[in-house]
Amino acid sequence: MSEAVAERFTRWYGSAPEGVWAAPGRVNLIGEHTDYNDGFVMPFALPHTAVAAVSRREDGVLRVHSADIGGDPVTLRVADLAPGTDRSWTAYPAGVVWALREAGHAVTGADVHLSSTVPSGAGLSSSAALEIVVALALNDLYSLGLRGRQLARLCQRAENVYVGAPVGIMDQTASACCRDGHALFLDTRDLSQRQIPFDPAAEGLRLLVVDTRVKHSHSEGEYGRRRAGCEKGAALLGVDALRDVDHARLDEALAELGDEEEVRRLVRHVVTEDRRVERVVALLESGDVRAIGPVLTEGHASLRDDFRVSCPELDLVVDTAVGAGALGARMTGGGFGGAAIVLVEGAAAAPVGDAVRAAFATAALPAPRLFEATPSPGARRLT
């Protein structure tokens, strides 16, 4: 893919790129809607990547082109980049340039050609992959010396402020920092990381991703309302973030919230979800990969009933897969559509997949897209 992207760059811009970079999408194994509550998450990188061919410019011009969207390159002036001025796909790479310059890095322009295999709108962090691949390329080309977690912070700021989507830090960190054959146990408060071995295939298992093809957008109001509700819960409980609510004292905390029923549900999900991440870490470190299945399913019930970010299509995937013999399943990503993950024995992968497809056909729904998720490397330079 890197050669094809480089060749297209040359056709559009008239000279070869200075390099080609890749950054992956991610699947979140467990830990949903905890990242903006200073909690724990556990993503791993997908083999699907955003790839960028990039060269520097010294004239203050940013030109961006996407093979997936088509059209001519979009030309912007870096000095004119400002939050709220761009509502198209170009806001993601432009936002990265803006964030780097706002942080004091002398980025004087670039030519960028992009191509991605990360499914968009599926909750697999296609936007974070796009941001990180541009940030890594500019970091290398301009010798900025930034580490993965620093690039993640800058890209999060680009998406929060420039794009206007109130996302947490998980997606960008996963794309920048994940390792092959591992899941990333990330504390989103201090950004400390532990690489946890996670290789389902080595255990005779497969982790399937089921893209329902139901689209969502994090910048729409439902995500923001839940984030505001979590912040309200923390304020009512007198803590900095819901991360600080002790799981052992959850019932007492919920009682303190009185008749704030919606806030109670949000708090219950976040506190129990943080605990589920810790349980999965312990199980993987003990080598009991199969035992994480029921924890995944438990997490889906919490997202469905307490956080209320599931949808009928996602529930159909989970219920059908578990009923057909999967070890566990849950929605992954922000919700309101997107994808679910399904942990199965290797021999059960085909029958479970067939059962999910049949259930969608019976419900007169568009056929879902299924593929295997293999823990893969994070962002890297290809050439």
mmCIF file of all heavy atoms in Angstrom, residues 123 128 147 185 235 243 322 351:
data_model
loop_
_atom_site.group_PDB
_atom_site.id
_atom_site.type_symbol
_atom_site.label_atom_id
_atom_site.label_comp_id
_atom_site.label_asym_id
_atom_site.label_seq_id
_atom_site.Cartn_x
_atom_site.Cartn_y
_atom_site.Cartn_z
ATOM 1 N N GLY A 123 -16.797 3.152 14.764
ATOM 2 C CA GLY A 123 -16.276 3.149 16.129
ATOM 3 C C GLY A 123 -14.893 2.556 16.234
ATOM 4 O O GLY A 123 -14.491 2.089 17.302
ATOM 5 N N ALA A 128 -8.899 9.243 14.481
ATOM 6 C CA ALA A 128 -7.652 9.271 15.249
ATOM 7 C C ALA A 128 -6.494 8.752 14.422
ATOM 8 O O ALA A 128 -5.375 9.283 14.487
ATOM 9 C CB ALA A 128 -7.794 8.447 16.530
ATOM 10 N N ARG A 147 7.212 12.326 21.501
ATOM 11 C CA ARG A 147 6.949 10.907 21.717
ATOM 12 C C ARG A 147 5.484 10.603 21.424
ATOM 13 O O ARG A 147 4.651 11.501 21.269
ATOM 14 C CB ARG A 147 7.312 10.511 23.143
ATOM 15 C CG ARG A 147 8.794 10.769 23.471
ATOM 16 C CD ARG A 147 9.078 10.495 24.929
ATOM 17 N NE ARG A 147 8.898 9.086 25.269
ATOM 18 C CZ ARG A 147 9.848 8.162 25.176
ATOM 19 N NH1 ARG A 147 11.059 8.509 24.743
ATOM 20 N NH2 ARG A 147 9.614 6.904 25.508
ATOM 21 N N PHE A 185 -2.987 -1.303 28.279
ATOM 22 C CA PHE A 185 -3.669 -0.911 29.514
ATOM 23 C C PHE A 185 -3.240 0.515 29.822
ATOM 24 O O PHE A 185 -2.104 0.777 30.193
ATOM 25 C CB PHE A 185 -3.300 -1.852 30.646
ATOM 26 C CG PHE A 185 -3.907 -1.496 31.979
ATOM 27 C CD1 PHE A 185 -5.200 -0.993 32.073
ATOM 28 C CD2 PHE A 185 -3.187 -1.686 33.144
ATOM 29 C CE1 PHE A 185 -5.760 -0.672 33.299
ATOM 30 C CE2 PHE A 185 -3.741 -1.380 34.381
ATOM 31 C CZ PHE A 185 -5.024 -0.862 34.456
ATOM 32 N N ALA A 235 -19.220 16.109 40.153
ATOM 33 C CA ALA A 235 -19.407 17.317 40.960
ATOM 34 C C ALA A 235 -20.326 17.039 42.148
ATOM 35 O O ALA A 235 -20.059 17.468 43.288
ATOM 36 C CB ALA A 235 -19.968 18.436 40.098
ATOM 37 N N ARG A 243 -13.505 8.440 38.065
ATOM 38 C CA ARG A 243 -12.401 7.520 38.397
ATOM 39 C C ARG A 243 -12.193 7.442 39.908
ATOM 40 O O ARG A 243 -11.775 6.415 40.448
ATOM 41 C CB ARG A 243 -11.143 8.013 37.686
ATOM 42 C CG ARG A 243 -9.810 7.781 38.364
ATOM 43 C CD ARG A 243 -9.372 6.318 38.289
ATOM 44 N NE ARG A 243 -8.012 6.184 38.781
ATOM 45 C CZ ARG A 243 -6.918 6.404 38.056
ATOM 46 N NH1 ARG A 243 -7.018 6.827 36.816
ATOM 47 N NH2 ARG A 243 -5.724 6.200 38.568
ATOM 48 N N VAL A 322 -23.626 -14.598 21.274
ATOM 49 C CA VAL A 322 -23.559 -15.353 22.539
ATOM 50 C C VAL A 322 -24.486 -16.565 22.468
ATOM 51 O O VAL A 322 -24.133 -17.676 22.907
ATOM 52 C CB VAL A 322 -23.908 -14.435 23.723
ATOM 53 C CG1 VAL A 322 -24.029 -15.241 25.013
ATOM 54 C CG2 VAL A 322 -22.848 -13.346 23.877
ATOM 55 N N PRO A 351 -19.433 -20.570 12.232
ATOM 56 C CA PRO A 351 -20.844 -20.705 12.602
ATOM 57 C C PRO A 351 -21.421 -19.479 13.300
ATOM 58 O O PRO A 351 -22.571 -19.094 13.036
ATOM 59 C CB PRO A 351 -20.851 -21.921 13.536
ATOM 60 C CG PRO A 351 -19.636 -22.690 13.186
ATOM 61 C CD PRO A 351 -18.624 -21.674 12.762
#
